[in-house]
Every structure is written in structure tokens, then in C-alpha cells.
Amino acid sequence: MSWTDERIESLRTMWEKGLTASQIADELGGVSRNAVIGKAHRLGLKSRPSPVKATDKVAKPVKAAAPAAPKPATPVAAPRAAAPVAPRPAAPAPKLDAKPAIDTPNADGGLGDVIPKADQPRIVSIGPGGFIRQGPGDQQAPIPPAPPRRLVPAKPSPEIADKTTLLDLNDRICRWPMGHPGEPDFHFCGEAVNPGFPYCVQHCGRAYQAQLPRGTRRPPPPPPFGGPRVR
DNA sequence: CCCTGATTCGC
DNA sequence: GCGAATCAGG
């Protein structure tokens, strides 16, 4: 697999959403966790609560320590420690624990209890497929074209026999995705659409809320549509 | 052991 | 540029 623009874009999004490299690799498919991390770094986006931090304690007695002897001309090649070990940056990250527990698909209908995030400067809503909708003020990339994740040939299986599949979509039923493309239970909402919109009334609320007039106090932050990994 | 991300380095 | 191998903390 190669890093197409789409795949890179997905990688960026997921990485910024806090997904682990494994999850991202899993989601993208065809790449390893390492590949994802490597790519992320090459893209410049890095640094995230890493389990490995400052190794300030001892001068890495990993291999070929030899702190005293400046190794004049060691015949025996010193594999990795050949270069002078520079002190690691060790960013003083302000301890932010707790995983991104943002993913809590609220059951339909009851969006009553939601935690009013006071420290959230701007409202970011999540679009179908877990894509972030951005306000007019902070557009950054032309991602409007359909969220192209891996699409599978809509394999018919007993589990989705009564679900709304890709093939069942038409302009009168809600096409809000439930689950993730490629997964066995992936299907669409299937409710009657809110006339003029591609989604039912309820999902229109999810899809368009970020575009409501600024004054409209409508904090119930979207129970973010399942992050990639709902199950 | 498992997981995580960071880094190195041969390709 | 890519990613396996490796390292290192949880």
C-alpha cells in the first residue's frame, strides 16, 4: 500500500483525534503500526502522550556504553550508539491522562444528559464517518468531497439483512452511516429524511449543528458519532 | 506478557 | 520516503 492523499488525510485526522497508531493502522489497512508512526513523524505531526519519555536517568547503557573511552578506532562496529547521544527533548507535557473517551454514541432520542464543556472554545461537530466538520473560520483543507474510507462491495450477510445498506440508499431515506464501512454491521440510518436534507431530522441535528447561528445556545455536544472503534 | 509511541537505519 | 527492528515506559 502506498500513501495516497486520502490515506494521509485519514491518518492526520485520526492521529489528531487521538487514536492510537495501532487503531489507525488497523483502520487504514495494509500498513503496520510502525508505518503509521513513521509516516506521522515524517508528516511533522508528532508528539502525543508517549509512554516513553525522558530517559534522563542513566546514559543509556543499552549498547556500547563506553562513556569513558572515547573509542579511538573501535574495530568492532558499534551499531547504534555510534553517534553521540544527545539529551532528549523530553517535552514537559502537562500530564493529560484519560483517553479520548469522547466516543459515546448516545442512544437515539435521548440526548438529554451531556456534559457542558466550558473550556471548549469553539464547537466542533463530527460528521458522518467520524469526520470533523470545521467552521468557516478554520478551514484547512478541502475535504468536502465524500469521506472516502475503504468501501467494500456491500457484502450481503445475515447480520445486515434488515439493515439499510448502501444499495438501499435513495434520496428519501436518511443516509447517516451507522458503524464503519468495511465492518460487518455497517449500515445506514434509513429513517425518512428531513425534507430537503440527506438525513433524518435527528441526524440533521448532528450533521448541521455547528452551522447554527452563533447565538444559538445548543451545547449538547454531539455525542460524537462513534469514533473509529465503536463496537 | 501486553500495550504504547520514538528512533534508528537499511532499503 | 518507507517501515521493520529496536528501544523504552506503562
Side-chain angles (χ1 to χ4, degrees):
Chain A
M1 270 295 187
S2 58
W3 286 105
T4 63
D5 283 355
E6 291 179 5
R7 290 165 67 76
I8 291 178
E9 190 51 48
S10 296
L11 164 56
R12 274 216 166 88
T13 304
M14 293 176 181
W15 184 271
E16 280 158 26
K17 276 185 69 176
L19 296 192
T20 67
S22 296
Q23 289 175 320
I24 298 174
D26 206 49
E27 206 75 20
L28 287 174
V31 287
S32 68
R33 176 181 78 91
N34 280 320
V36 168
I37 293 176
K39 184 59 182 174
H41 284 196
R42 265 173 256 123
L43 283 173
L45 45 87
K46 60 172 185 296
S47 152
R48 262 206 305 173
S50 150
V52 177
K53 293 183 180 177
T55 313
D56 223 270
K57 303 186 175 184
V58 184
K60 305 185 187 317
V62 186
K63 290 181 179 178
K71 93 171 161 69
T74 313
V76 217
R80 297 226 168 148
V85 268
R88 306 211 173 185
K95 177 184 186 177
L96 52 126
D97 41 292
K99 298 177 180 178
I102 24 179
D103 302 335
T104 307
N106 207 333
D108 53 301
L111 43 138
D113 54 326
V114 187
I115 330 88
K117 289 244 184 164
D119 56 346
Q120 186 89 38
R122 62 193 178 81
I123 296 181
V124 180
S125 74
I126 308 297
F131 281 71
I132 299 176
R133 284 174 186 275
Q134 309 199 308
D138 42 36
Q139 66 248 60
Q140 60 172 172
I143 353 179
R149 285 214 178 183
R150 281 178 298 146
L151 293 181
V152 298
K155 48 183 173 185
S157 69
E159 293 93 29
I160 62 172
D162 58 337
K163 305 275 176 47
T164 301
T165 72
L166 186 60
L167 299 178
D168 299 322
L169 289 181
N170 63 48
D171 54 358
R172 278 177 296 285
I173 66 176
C174 179
R175 50 189 65 204
W176 185 274
M178 314 288 277
H180 288 87
E183 295 181 356
D185 61 340
F186 175 66
H187 62 284
F188 297 89
C189 172
E191 287 296 316
V193 298
N194 183 9
F197 296 91
Y199 310 119
C200 66
V201 175
Q202 185 176 91
H203 287 134
C204 273
R206 300 273 286 276
Y208 300 113
Q209 74 165 14
Q211 296 175 14
L212 292 175
R214 285 195 177 270
T216 313
R217 224 27 287 187
R218 180 78 170 281
F225 171 75
R229 253 329 80 118
V230 180
R231 296 185 193 169

